[in-house]
Amino acid sequence: MGLAAFRTSSNKQGDSGAGASVGRRYVGLFFTLPAIIFTLVFFILPLGMTIFMSLHKWSLMGEHNFIGIQNYIDLLTRDSQFWNSLWFTTRYTLLITPAIFIIAFLLALLVNLPLRMIGVFRTIYFLPAVIGLGTSSLLWVWLLNDRVGAINAILKLLGLVDRPIIWLADPNYVMIAIIVSIVWKTVGFTMILLLTGMQAIPAELYESARVDGANYWEQLRYIMLPLMRRTFALALVLSVIGSYLAFDQFFIMTAGGPQNQTISVVYWIYKKSFTDFNLGYGASMSIVLLVILVVLSVIQMWLLRDDTTY
Amino acid sequence: MKRFYILLVGLLAIFAISIAPAVAQDPVTLTMWSRDSNQAFLRELVDMWNSSHPNQIDLTVIPAADFVTRVGVAAAGGEAPDLLPTDLIYVPSFARAGYLADITDFVAALPFADQLIPAHMFLGTYEGREYAVPFAAEGSVLLYNKGLFEQAGLDPEKPPTTWQEIHDAAVAIRALGEDTYGFYFSGNCAGCNAFTFLPYIWAQGADLLTPDGLTATVDSPEVRAALEFYQQMWNEGLIPAGAQADTGTDFLNAFTAGNIGMVGSGAFSISVLKNDFPDIDFGLTFLPGQEGGRSSFAGGDTISVTSSSKNVAAAFEFIQWVLSDEIQLSMFAARGQLPLRLDLADNEYSREDTRLITNAEAMGLGKTPYSFVYNQLYNDTTGPWLAMLQQAIFQGDIEGAVTTAQARFTEILASQ
């Protein structure tokens, strides 16, 4: 029955552009229903709940009562740590995003070469991406350890340092250490995204460029890079959102230290919600972060907008 | 015929009497939630109860990080489990929020009521009524490496009893070699130091809070002295530099490498060291005060019945069974767990390893901060307690550290 209805409606598609039948509209609804339900249950409802909570003094224990936009007022006027955290997270994002992109792009170029066994290398570079972030953070805590860590042992062996570096106790070293660990963890994923973009470019374009005498760098500059705009946009948005939502690495590797200098925004939301038991306030910070991320994503999409078709 | 009726009524009466208790005590299934630490032991305990009692317990284990959230959500919806073992520091908050059932009368009826660990009972009391009894005991002590003590010319049977003695022993052990250190603590772990550093302050008769937990008393000579004690050992290089970054992952691991002289730790380390690191000959002593005295952080879990439970009496039967001589000895003491009653601290198992007696004694004289904002004050890695330690010990600014902490403690206490 459903199939028959579908067939009739798809037949009708050709004959009239103006008035699609009621039946066809229902079929459309039917096919999008799973996506609608999924979005409703796992995004719209929780979002509504979060907004609702953000307007309350909502303790993890005991009662909650409506306080209007007081949480937002407190956030804007009294919570300096939130703004410190936002600035810290922004700095972290500004440092880590180029690092990930440059390395991922170079790796993607490398594994795009038509060599035998190249799949093995793709797999190797991608492997860290399948490790849980919590697990990899703990792994790096031990790699960076001053007494038993491999990194200090290697540096000492190479004669680069006399005494072990306490990576996670100095604000500058912490940033380096965490960025290295996260690049290692996520670069494989960005590499795969960029590789997909590279392989989607039709080979004829390169061929005709070669016929016109373009060398490798010119092909890269004038064909590959411009045609990968959409892929870059996708990878960039995903990467920036991921960096802004950073939590595990700071929670596990530094616990916000040294001297509270590595508290990311999500870490601060976590602390307000589950250490101070102030869920309503945590919810209001989540909403503010959501707004910031939406704005940032729109700007990125606009900057990398692309109407090219081929 | 008449005789038949009498007989019949008599039989019915006997029948009625015989089934009456059964009707009154239909077996019930009790629900119980626990955090995932120590779950193997807990499962064994519950299985043992289930196989020997008509009332059954249905145990759900929840990841420790989610525990308070889950309890809060369930209690708000009136769907909390019957039995709730919990990290004891949350009991005042739970009791104040009305999540827990008043079990004062049940506790009073226990023949060993006055032998239950005093610090746990203190945390279980809210406005004069009792809401929790001990369920798992974990008292802090000072671990020391007897082998290193001997090598450094110290008497391994005479552990330090003052701060000066700890310092001097640390100097002697540090002199043994480049990679040998006198002392260790996890410098970036809030909870670890509440557990192992607060007792130095308590042993001086001082505290960071008034007994009711409502006023901050951080700014005191005793607190400054204790901070100076650690600061000096840090400045003299008696503590490995990595301690500054340790979020707690190295809390016991540092000691197990065998090149650390002394470290504050708890009862859990005894079985870990005995089973996994048999080569390390370790001793155990009290965390002392500056010129003597001793104290301990009495940590662990208490167990409560929730206010939404319809089977308070049945739930308490399980609690009473856990605290009985039989289970305390055959399950707790036999597995190297500290008994929950002072009168059982000295038992056939602890007599084989006197370190267990020392730990049980530490537990008996131990304290636990009573506060509705314990999490914010002491457990928070971004909170005032850890900030004070780091500013004083690593940056050398004791004056600023104490002043800031006093202000932040006061601010948090005022916000509750």
Side-chain angles (χ1 to χ4, degrees):
Chain A
M1 178 61 200
L3 197 67
F6 171 64
R7 204 172 285 141
T8 5
S9 62
S10 66
N11 286 343
K12 275 181 187 167
Q13 200 173 9
D15 48 49
S16 107
S21 75
V22 178
R24 182 167 172 255
R25 226 181 300 156
Y26 280 130
V27 170
L29 187 68
F30 177 77
F31 279 108
T32 48
L33 208 54
I36 293 177
I37 291 176
F38 190 85
T39 317
L40 211 61
V41 171
F42 293 102
F43 182 68
I44 306 290
L45 284 181
L47 180 65
M49 184 65 187
T50 309
I51 294 174
F52 180 72
M53 285 175 82
S54 75
L55 299 174
H56 289 73
K57 183 170 172 53
W58 195 301
S59 171
L60 187 55
M61 275 187 239
E63 303 298 308
H64 48 85
N65 47 296
F66 184 78
I67 52 166
I69 57 164
Q70 189 59 46
N71 282 329
Y72 292 93
I73 295 173
D74 287 349
L75 178 55
L76 291 170
T77 57
R78 293 180 51 193
D79 191 350
S80 57
Q81 180 59 49
F82 177 79
W83 302 104
N84 290 345
S85 295
L86 193 61
W87 172 231
F88 169 74
T89 314
T90 307
R91 256 189 317 141
Y92 167 74
T93 306
L94 288 176
L95 288 171
I96 201 165
T97 309
I100 291 177
F101 265 79
I102 293 168
I103 297 171
F105 187 71
L106 293 177
L107 284 178
L109 281 179
L110 214 59
V111 298
N112 197 23
L113 295 175
L115 298 176
R116 284 180 47 178
M117 310 282 283
I118 198 71
V120 175
F121 287 94
R122 284 181 195 162
T123 311
I124 290 174
Y125 297 142
F126 186 71
L127 264 183
V130 300
I131 301 175
L133 187 49
T135 317
S136 86
S137 300
L138 214 47
L139 174 74
W140 278 89
V141 167
W142 288 111
L143 285 175
L144 295 164
N145 186 285
D146 59 313
R147 291 175 302 108
V148 295
I151 291 173
N152 273 312
I154 292 169
L155 290 178
K156 214 168 169 180
L157 210 65
L158 295 174
L160 293 172
V161 295
D162 292 335
R163 36 175 65 227
I165 294 175
I166 315 299
W167 290 96
L168 301 176
D170 177 289
N172 298 317
Y173 285 145
V174 162
M175 198 58 132
I176 297 170
I178 287 193
I179 286 178
V180 168
S181 78
I182 297 299
V183 166
W184 173 81
K185 166 81 180 69
T186 55
V187 80
F189 181 71
T190 310
M191 175 195 81
I192 291 289
L193 282 181
L194 297 181
L195 183 65
T196 332
M198 281 178 192
Q199 296 187 338
I201 301 172
E204 303 89 69
L205 294 178
Y206 292 111
E207 279 165 24
S208 49
R210 266 199 299 276
V211 170
D212 290 344
N215 65 22
Y216 179 77
W217 296 110
E218 285 164 342
Q219 290 174 42
L220 196 74
R221 168 72 186 80
Y222 296 106
I223 297 184
M224 187 187 277
L225 285 180
L227 288 178
M228 281 178 68
R229 273 179 96 104
R230 282 183 196 175
T231 317
F232 276 124
L234 172 69
L236 185 68
V237 168
L238 286 179
S239 175
V240 167
I241 290 178
S243 304
Y244 263 92
L245 296 182
F247 171 70
D248 309 44
Q249 57 268 50
F250 297 108
F251 187 69
I252 292 170
M253 291 174 70
T254 69
Q259 287 91 46
N260 291 347
Q261 289 185 39
T262 59
I263 303 175
S264 68
V265 180
V266 177
Y267 196 151
W268 192 241
I269 294 175
Y270 167 85
K271 129 94 185 166
K272 281 292 174 188
S273 305
F274 300 113
T275 302
D276 300 358
F277 298 158
N278 197 344
L279 293 182
Y281 189 69
S284 70
M285 287 196 281
S286 307
I287 296 296
V288 170
L289 182 60
L290 177 74
V291 170
I292 292 172
L293 283 178
V294 167
V295 170
L296 283 178
S297 301
V298 167
I299 294 175
Q300 291 169 63
M301 303 286 245
W302 183 77
L303 284 176
L304 289 170
R305 72 192 178 283
D306 180 16
D307 309 319
T308 324
T309 46
Y310 42 79
Chain B
M1 205 49 191
K2 197 177 177 184
R3 203 186 274 176
F4 173 75
Y5 276 119
I6 294 171
L7 194 66
L8 186 68
V9 169
L11 278 173
L12 278 174
I14 290 167
F15 181 66
I17 290 165
S18 68
I19 65 162
V23 170
Q25 273 198 344
D26 247 349
V28 292
T29 298
L30 301 161
T31 50
M32 174 159 150
W33 289 1
S34 165
R35 56 176 170 157
D36 53 5
S37 29
N38 213 7
Q39 59 168 304
F41 177 74
L42 186 54
R43 282 202 188 278
E44 206 178 338
L45 197 64
V46 167
D47 287 344
M48 196 171 168
W49 163 271
N50 283 344
S51 62
S52 56
H53 294 80
N55 291 340
Q56 297 292 293
I57 291 176
D58 182 9
L59 173 67
T60 306
V61 174
I62 295 171
D66 286 344
F67 189 72
V68 179
T69 318
R70 289 279 297 272
V71 171
V73 171
E79 287 169 356
D82 297 294
L83 284 158
L84 193 66
T86 167
D87 186 340
L88 81 170
I89 57 139
Y90 292 121
V91 175
S93 304
F94 283 178
R96 186 172 69 164
Y99 293 176
L100 307 179
D102 181 348
I103 51 171
T104 313
D105 297 338
F106 290 101
V107 174
L110 294 173
F112 43 76
D114 57 342
Q115 296 296 327
L116 297 170
I117 297 169
H120 283 214
M121 297 308 290
F122 174 62
L123 263 278
T125 307
Y126 175 67
E127 294 188 336
R129 308 296 291 177
E130 282 160 356
Y131 295 89
V133 294
F135 192 60
E138 183 59 88
S140 55
V141 286
L142 185 70
L143 288 182
Y144 65 98
N145 187 319
K146 286 189 174 180
L148 293 178
F149 262 62
E150 218 157 59
Q151 284 178 46
L154 303 159
D155 183 351
E157 300 313 319
K158 275 198 182 152
T161 56
T162 65
W163 295 351
Q164 192 61 46
E165 285 177 27
I166 291 180
H167 172 266
D168 294 347
V171 171
I173 291 166
R174 182 74 180 97
L176 291 175
E178 200 194 333
D179 289 330
T180 310
Y181 291 89
F183 196 81
Y184 190 82
F185 75 106
S186 297
N188 197 16
C189 174
C192 311
N193 288 302
F195 191 56
T196 57
F197 187 77
L198 273 176
Y200 293 119
I201 297 167
W202 292 340
Q204 297 287 91
D207 201 344
L208 304 191
L209 298 173
T210 49
D212 60 7
L214 297 177
T215 313
T217 54
V218 182
D219 197 343
S220 72
E222 290 86 355
V223 173
R224 285 156 209 263
L227 290 170
E228 211 178 303
F229 159 51
Y230 264 37
Q231 184 204 42
Q232 191 189 355
M233 288 199 289
W234 171 256
N235 287 344
E236 292 175 12
L238 308 178
I239 300 168
Q244 191 177 356
D246 179 8
T247 56
T249 43
D250 244 1
F251 187 47
L252 180 59
N253 284 317
F255 187 78
T256 60
N259 60 351
I260 302 282
M262 291 164 283
V263 66
S265 194
F268 72 98
S269 56
I270 298 178
S271 53
V272 173
L273 287 168
K274 278 208 291 202
N275 296 332
D276 302 343
F277 302 93
D279 296 343
I280 296 180
D281 184 13
F282 68 99
L284 200 142
T285 188
F286 301 98
L287 294 166
Q290 189 166 15
E291 308 285 344
R294 52 180 63 164
S295 190
S296 172
F297 188 111
D301 286 3
T302 55
I303 186 165
S304 302
V305 183
T306 63
S307 53
S308 56
S309 171
K310 293 174 182 66
N311 303 299
V312 179
F316 199 81
E317 272 173 34
F318 170 75
I319 295 176
Q320 182 163 3
W321 175 80
V322 168
L323 296 172
S324 67
D325 290 39
E326 185 206 340
I327 299 302
Q328 283 302 301
L329 294 175
S330 73
M331 282 294 288
F332 281 70
R335 305 293 161 83
Q337 306 256 336
L338 294 181
L340 304 171
R341 286 162 46 186
L342 302 181
D343 56 338
L344 298 176
D346 182 8
N347 57 59
E348 54 184 302
Y349 303 98
S350 65
R351 254 168 261 140
E352 286 172 18
D353 186 344
T354 53
R355 293 176 291 202
L356 287 164
I357 299 185
T358 308
N359 209 330
E361 278 175 30
M363 194 68 209
L365 57 88
K367 281 178 65 158
T368 321
Y370 189 101
S371 172
F372 304 109
V373 285
Y374 180 92
N375 233 8
Q376 277 167 274
L377 296 176
Y378 292 108
N379 258 358
D380 181 7
T381 50
T382 66
W385 162 247
L386 187 60
M388 174 175 82
L389 296 178
Q390 294 186 336
Q391 194 180 346
I393 298 164
F394 303 128
Q395 299 177 346
D397 179 13
I398 292 180
E399 209 38 60
V402 171
T403 318
T404 313
Q406 172 72 27
R408 287 186 66 194
F409 264 62
T410 306
E411 191 185 326
I412 291 171
L413 290 166
S415 73
Q416 59 182 306

